[in-house]
């Protein structure tokens, strides 16, 4: 038994949720917040048999793509914010961060 913890960008959340459901994976969705851009994420908790981990990983890979996005940087701390002019920068966002953990026991009440 494995627990897959997948942190995905909100834009990919509905697409991944539909793909998991269509392929008979049960998942719990949790709202979460990213640290770097402070943007919304969704964390999926997916419990599955060891043999189905590759299929789940394939679904995550297919439905969670990285993309470039323009963002305005946060003003520097401790400096004079009056003279700070933020210029948008392009950063790569999206994709998925996935952890696969061994599970000793699983109970559903």
């Amino acid at each position: 038994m494995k627990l897959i913890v997948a942190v995905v960008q909100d834009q990919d959340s509905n697409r991944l949720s539909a793909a998991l459901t269509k392929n008979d994976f049960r998942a719990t969705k949790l709202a979460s917040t990213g640290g770097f851009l402070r943007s919304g994420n969704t964390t999926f908790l997916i419990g599955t048999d060891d043999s189905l981990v590759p299929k789940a990983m394939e679904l995550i890979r297919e439905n969670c793509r990285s993309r470039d996005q323009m963002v305005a940087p946060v003003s520097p701390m401790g400096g004079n914010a009056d003279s700070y002019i933020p210029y948008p920068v392009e950063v790569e966002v999206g994709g998925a961060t996935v952890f696969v953990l061994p599970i000793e026991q699983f109970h559903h009440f």
Side-chain angles (χ1 to χ4, degrees):
M1 207 54 203
K2 299 288 186 201
L3 174 65
I4 301 172
V5 180
V7 181
V8 305
Q9 192 175 30
D10 278 344
Q11 291 175 325
D12 299 324
S13 171
N14 289 336
R15 187 171 47 251
L16 178 59
S17 182
L20 290 170
T21 302
K22 181 180 178 183
N23 287 274
D24 296 322
F25 285 97
R26 296 178 66 188
T28 300
K29 288 173 57 174
L30 305 172
S32 52
T33 303
F36 176 60
L37 298 176
R38 303 201 193 322
S39 60
N41 293 323
T42 301
T43 300
F44 286 86
L45 302 177
I46 307 161
T48 189
D49 290 327
D50 292 8
S51 63
L52 295 175
V53 170
K55 178 62 178 174
M57 296 297 282
E58 177 185 338
L59 292 172
I60 295 167
R61 188 177 299 110
E62 289 174 353
N63 290 282
C64 302
R65 298 283 181 202
S66 60
R67 61 189 71 74
D68 292 332
Q69 178 177 322
M70 297 297 286
V71 297
V74 180
S75 64
M77 298 297 289
N80 185 356
D82 295 336
S83 64
Y84 177 71
I85 302 173
Y87 292 100
V89 293
E90 190 173 47
V91 296
E92 186 177 305
V93 298
T97 302
V98 183
F99 304 91
V100 179
L101 308 168
I103 300 300
E104 290 185 26
Q105 293 184 18
F106 170 77
H107 303 280
H108 184 80
F109 301 106

